[in-house]
Amino acid sequence: MCIYPQHWGFPALTEPSASPAASLGIFEVRRVLDASGCSMLAPLQTGAARFSSYLLSRARKVLGSHLFSPCGVPEFCSISTRKLAAHGFGASMAAMVSFPPQRYHYFLVLDFEATCDKPQIHPQEIIEFPILKLNGRTMEIESTFHMYVQPVVHPQLTPFCTELTGIIQAMVDGQPSLQQVLERVDEWMAKEGLLDPNVKSIFVTCGDWDLKVMLPGQCQYLGLPVADYFKQWINLKKAYSFAMGCWPKNGLLDMNKGLSLQHIGRPHSGIGQSLHISPWQLDDCKNIANIMKTLAYRGFIFKQTSKPF
């Protein structure tokens, strides 16, 4: 069971002032719908997510006696949600609330797929290289990079690999080598303005394996340099554990469950879903992005988790 810290670093709340006018200067009320459609009733101190003064005033009028109702009590949540939805606060809630400022302008969500078998083959080789560019202010996806990669040491995918990843032989045959894909990544990074020294960005992975083990290991095997931007990242599992107080043993599945989010698509596929689905469909990378957005919505500030190389 997860322990829920008091709004991830925000001081514990006290009772609002007896004077409504006085309390306006101390508390702002955020009543938002998370991605699962459940109401989150959280009075946050100034500095967390905020309504504009106009929207805050509207929300207060709509909620009336439910303004400071107990957080997490189903009957209050349900009533408050219905009241807000009836006055147009439902589908557009995300546009009404601003996220706390993040440390980065962009988050680059990355999730490799690699050759594999039972027992494991060596060396493993990256066969799918996806990146989602996530805006650090809105936590929305702005751009996507996606390429399949031709393995060279073990060019034939095993049945186990296809079963696990959904990637078939035809998807990797004739595709660029890892060296060529890394060159394309650099071109994409430049086109997206991510190489500008005034733009702060960082990769995000579900675990340390992608950028601590897989990429540097294959680059070392092939004699390729590793770009500096791949040498720092955020391990979403660690970020989630900081925010929620428990370790997600089953990765994305546990994080989605802990945040009441629906898992999107097929696990173990970077952006592609299956043999018959376009690579632009929702996938593990978008699950990561969805989890990040939900945590940011709740006030969590993402920080680098990797140690300097």
Side-chain angles (χ1 to χ4, degrees):
M1 181 176 292
C2 287
I3 301 169
Y4 296 88
Q6 293 175 333
H7 307 300
W8 301 283
F10 294 110
L13 296 175
T14 57
E15 288 298 316
S17 165
S19 166
S23 67
L24 282 173
I26 301 173
F27 293 97
E28 295 179 69
V29 176
R30 183 182 71 173
R31 293 169 180 269
V32 299
L33 298 178
D34 66 16
S36 68
C38 299
S39 180
M40 297 190 305
L41 309 178
L44 298 183
Q45 289 187 325
T46 300
R50 299 171 181 168
F51 282 133
S52 69
S53 57
Y54 166 69
L55 290 170
L56 179 61
S57 175
R58 277 189 59 203
R60 288 177 181 275
K61 289 178 181 178
V62 169
L63 292 168
S65 62
H66 293 279
L67 186 60
F68 291 105
S69 56
C71 188
V73 178
E75 55 267 31
F76 286 114
C77 294
S78 178
I79 294 170
S80 299
T81 299
R82 290 200 302 271
K83 280 178 172 286
L84 289 171
H87 287 78
F89 280 81
S92 60
M93 189 62 72
M96 299 178 185
V97 182
S98 64
F99 294 102
Q102 295 290 334
R103 296 185 171 198
Y104 299 93
H105 297 107
Y106 296 101
F107 297 103
L108 306 176
V109 178
L110 178 149
D111 186 68
F112 294 141
E113 294 302 330
T115 55
C116 54
D117 201 2
K118 280 190 174 183
Q120 189 59 273
I121 56 176
H122 297 284
Q124 286 187 272
E125 299 171 85
I126 296 168
I127 55 176
E128 187 179 20
F129 204 125
I131 307 171
L132 299 183
K133 179 187 176 187
L134 203 63
N135 186 302
R137 181 179 59 84
T138 65
M139 302 304 285
E140 297 293 341
I141 298 168
E142 286 194 353
S143 181
T144 302
F145 176 91
H146 180 269
M147 292 190 73
Y148 290 108
V149 188
Q150 171 75 61
V152 294
V153 181
H154 302 286
Q156 288 296 124
L157 302 184
T158 64
F160 175 83
C161 183
T162 295
E163 176 68 23
L164 182 69
T165 67
I167 298 173
I168 60 172
Q169 192 66 42
M171 292 179 176
V172 297
D173 282 346
Q175 295 300 315
S177 66
L178 179 63
Q179 180 177 358
Q180 293 170 320
V181 170
L182 289 173
E183 291 169 357
R184 303 277 183 87
V185 169
D186 201 68
E187 293 169 1
W188 177 78
M189 296 275 287
K191 179 176 70 74
E192 295 293 328
L194 297 167
L195 302 184
D196 184 332
N198 295 317
V199 174
K200 293 188 66 178
S201 65
I202 189 168
F203 279 91
V204 182
T205 59
C206 185
D208 290 321
W209 175 83
D210 300 81
L211 294 179
K212 186 176 182 179
V213 177
M214 188 61 239
L215 182 63
Q218 188 175 357
C219 285
Q220 182 179 32
Y221 184 88
L222 297 174
L224 302 175
V226 178
D228 286 343
Y229 46 70
F230 286 125
K231 295 180 180 180
Q232 58 179 5
W233 64 89
I234 295 169
N235 178 343
L236 183 62
K237 293 180 182 178
K238 291 181 180 178
Y240 177 91
S241 69
F242 297 153
M244 303 296 285
C246 62
W247 183 259
K249 294 180 181 179
N250 295 310
L252 292 176
L253 295 176
D254 279 358
M255 289 186 276
N256 277 324
K257 183 177 180 180
L259 294 170
S260 299
L261 300 176
Q262 183 69 39
H263 190 90
I264 301 167
R266 171 188 177 132
H268 287 291
S269 182
I271 286 182
Q273 294 277 319
S274 70
L275 312 187
H276 308 291
I277 297 180
S278 162
W280 307 111
Q281 293 285 351
L282 300 177
D283 64 337
D284 279 357
C285 277
K286 293 188 178 180
N287 276 298
I288 293 171
N290 201 25
I291 290 165
M292 291 186 68
K293 182 176 181 178
T294 303
L295 290 176
Y297 218 173
R298 299 184 181 192
F300 185 73
I301 307 298
F302 290 93
K303 303 174 185 178
Q304 178 180 334
T305 61
S306 64
K307 296 179 180 179
F309 274 53

